[in-house]
Amino acid sequence: MAQRPAAVAVVVTWNRRDLLTKSLTAVLAQTSPPETVVVVDNASDDGTSQMVAERFPAVDLVTAARNTGGAGGFAVGLARALRRPGDAVWLMDDDTVPEPGALAALLDARARYPGRTPALVASRVVWTDGRDHPMNTPRRRPFAGADAAGRAAGVGCIPIRSASFVSILVDAARARSVGLPVADYFLWNDDFEYTTRLLRGAVGLYCPASVAVHRTEKFGASDADPGGRLYYEVRNKVWLFTRSRSLSPVEKVVYGGSTVRRWVRTVARSAPRTAALRQVGRGLVGGLRRPPRRTEDVVAEILGAQAVDEATAATEDRRG
């Protein structure tokens, strides 16, 4: 069997100290633990940083001056991780509790895959009752040929085109090549844009043997009750379709059509619908009015000039 690569874990958190405790405990208790764990605290005010410093002193803790959402947190965390020795980076939210063998299964699939090293290997994500979580279902790669499907099946996996930031193993060399997540997305679609960028012309695998529990409050997709977050869904999709090279022209047409249908369904089941329609309008205007800021500029606001030096040294941000 090929030697398993070294991995650096990145956990992004905001005001969920108790959940983060469970997540870090599970990460550090892996049968094949990561070499290092980076925690990005997005300006929590619930004592998160103090808890990490006291209970997990070996963790590399990064404390942001302000909350820039999951997108900013993962950009900072990935940049930090890429400065450390390691072949891969294991990304997750603070409400992710991986089962003991989750990382070992990801590393094993990555090491045994015949051919090019996978750019990304994603875990099976379940809710607290064991059901597959609809919020984190990877998209299968459409039209994957028999050869690609056979190679994936040989290591117990399925070819995919995208995944969420809930227990995914990213190849460090590929991340340095394509750049960081777009920090200005704040939340929603940052993981879709980034993973499709990683996987355009590269291998992505869904690994059911690796299981992580996503301890969300409710079972359901991310658009089940979006409220004001619908603004970010619309704005960021506009940015993705008009500014990013993560999707091919044909994919943009296909995903664009499914996106519009999703917005219609979301508005139809929202109460009141007028509020949802306002968020859609704001998102369209916001996405068309200006592009996302450079990730280095957002990181500078979070952590200062030293962090920008780290980000640019770790990877060139080729956002779009």
Side-chain angles (χ1 to χ4, degrees):
M1 182 179 296
Q3 183 179 0
R4 288 175 177 171
V8 177
V10 172
V11 184
V12 176
T13 187
W14 180 69
N15 278 348
R16 291 198 286 206
R17 181 182 58 189
D18 294 340
L19 278 174
L20 178 64
T21 300
K22 293 181 175 66
S23 178
L24 290 179
T25 299
V27 167
L28 294 171
Q30 291 292 296
T31 57
S32 181
E35 300 295 315
T36 308
V37 180
V38 176
V39 172
V40 179
D41 178 6
N42 252 331
S44 299
D45 57 12
D46 65 346
T48 288
S49 288
Q50 295 90 324
M51 181 277 293
V52 173
E54 292 171 3
R55 297 192 56 178
F56 304 97
V59 164
D60 180 8
L61 175 63
V62 182
T63 303
R66 67 181 181 85
N67 179 18
T68 56
F74 281 110
V76 169
L78 185 57
R80 185 78 154 226
L82 292 176
R83 294 299 305 275
R84 293 181 168 274
D87 305 291
V89 183
W90 189 25
L91 302 176
M92 71 192 75
D93 285 317
D94 54 5
D95 56 357
T96 304
V97 181
E99 293 192 351
L103 179 56
L106 295 175
L107 292 170
D108 184 62
R110 180 187 189 275
R112 292 192 301 113
Y113 183 79
R116 290 186 299 167
T117 299
L120 179 157
V121 187
S123 296
R124 176 190 174 208
V125 181
V126 301
W127 197 48
T128 53
D129 62 1
R131 287 181 290 172
D132 285 353
H133 207 308
M135 188 183 294
N136 310 112
T137 303
R139 287 175 172 83
R140 290 196 179 210
R141 181 173 288 278
F143 312 115
D147 181 63
R151 287 172 182 263
V155 293
C157 295
I158 297 169
I160 58 172
R161 184 65 180 92
S162 70
S164 71
F165 283 156
V166 178
S167 188
I168 60 171
L169 188 71
V170 173
D171 180 62
R174 180 66 175 171
R176 292 186 181 98
S177 174
V178 305
L180 301 172
V182 184
D184 211 20
Y185 271 46
F186 191 75
L187 58 84
W188 220 333
N189 292 312
D190 52 313
D191 47 7
F192 179 65
E193 192 280 334
Y194 189 61
T195 58
T196 52
R197 183 159 28 116
L198 283 170
L199 294 178
R200 186 170 182 184
V203 175
L205 301 175
Y206 168 60
C207 179
S210 172
V211 180
V213 180
H214 195 190
R215 300 179 66 90
T216 56
E217 292 184 7
K218 299 178 181 179
F219 177 82
S222 58
D223 62 343
D225 184 22
R229 295 175 300 162
L230 184 57
Y231 162 77
Y232 295 105
E233 149 69 11
V234 175
R235 184 198 65 178
N236 295 349
K237 278 284 175 57
V238 172
W239 279 347
L240 190 153
F241 292 136
T242 61
R243 308 282 182 173
S244 174
R245 292 197 297 267
S246 65
L247 300 175
S248 70
V250 172
E251 288 176 322
K252 287 183 178 181
V253 172
V254 174
Y255 286 121
S258 64
T259 293
V260 171
R261 290 194 296 271
R262 177 181 178 179
W263 291 350
V264 170
R265 289 195 302 268
T266 299
V267 170
R269 59 176 177 248
S270 295
R273 291 180 183 176
T274 52
L277 283 170
R278 281 197 296 271
Q279 297 299 334
V280 171
R282 287 184 59 234
L284 290 172
V285 172
L288 294 171
R289 178 171 292 172
R290 70 167 180 87
R293 294 172 295 167
R294 294 192 325 139
T295 287
E296 293 95 330
D297 296 338
V298 178
V299 171
E301 294 179 8
I302 305 169
L303 296 174
Q306 182 179 358
V308 176
D309 293 340
E310 283 197 0
T312 54
T315 179
E316 179 185 0
D317 179 11
R318 299 177 180 175
R319 180 178 60 238

